[in-house]
Amino acid sequence: MVPRKPREERINEIIKAAIEVFLEKGYENTTMEAIAQKAGVSKGGLYHYFPSKDMVLVFANEKISEKVTGIMESAQKCSSMREGIMHYIKSYIRYWLENPKETAFLFLSIAKILEKPELLKYYQQYTVDYVAFLEGAFTMGVQQGEFKEHNVRTSAITLMAALDGILSYMIFDEVLQLEEVLQNFEEKFIKSIEIVK
């Protein structure tokens, strides 16, 4: 008898398979049967873990967002907020550029969310957490005397938007290089508010 895989391992295999099927066939043409087949589980077994294709999409995004959460956690361990924010910017951009399947899946998911507003609630918490992390980092930088007093919420939201926006440009524009982008982000989001000692 073949031993059963742990639940977490089985879910990870299903999610990996689902991402591949979604990218290959598109959301509309992906079926639970195709996901099950790619993952090597029965259709009933797939429904045991996920009640619908929408929930597979949501959970796949949650798994990918765990990587971003890890980047946030490592940024918080930096010795200064300036260093932490720059670490986050560099690691965030690098993660998406080095993982093109996940990046393509993110764009596919965003398109689907716009078509199915009922999925939006599952993604709102991610955005709230993302803004809260950046807002907290800018606030801490002000409190520690690294940054000037400024509207930290505006800094957080514009940095978040700029990071997600630059990904598209870097994917489509081969001229844009990571080091140049990092210098631009540092100039705009760090040096402009930094207290020079």
Side-chain angles (χ1 to χ4, degrees), residues 10 21 41 68 84 137 185 193:
R10 176 59 78 196
V21 176
V41 298
V68 177
F185 270 75
I193 58 168

Side-chain angles (χ1 to χ4, degrees), residues 116-173:
K116 296 184 111 187
E118 65 272 19
L119 291 177
L120 186 59
K121 65 182 177 182
Y122 294 103
Y123 295 93
Q124 288 173 327
Q125 189 60 49
Y126 170 74
T127 304
V128 167
D129 292 344
Y130 192 177
V131 172
F133 160 73
L134 292 172
E135 193 172 348
F138 282 114
T139 299
M140 187 70 73
V142 170
Q143 291 170 349
Q144 292 176 348
E146 290 182 77
F147 302 143
K148 300 171 191 170
E149 287 283 344
H150 68 284
N151 186 328
V152 294
R153 181 156 180 81
T154 298
S155 288
I157 292 169
T158 54
L159 176 55
M160 179 180 76
L163 282 169
D164 289 343
I166 198 65
L167 291 174
S168 301
Y169 287 103
M170 292 184 80
I171 290 167
F172 301 126
D173 185 348

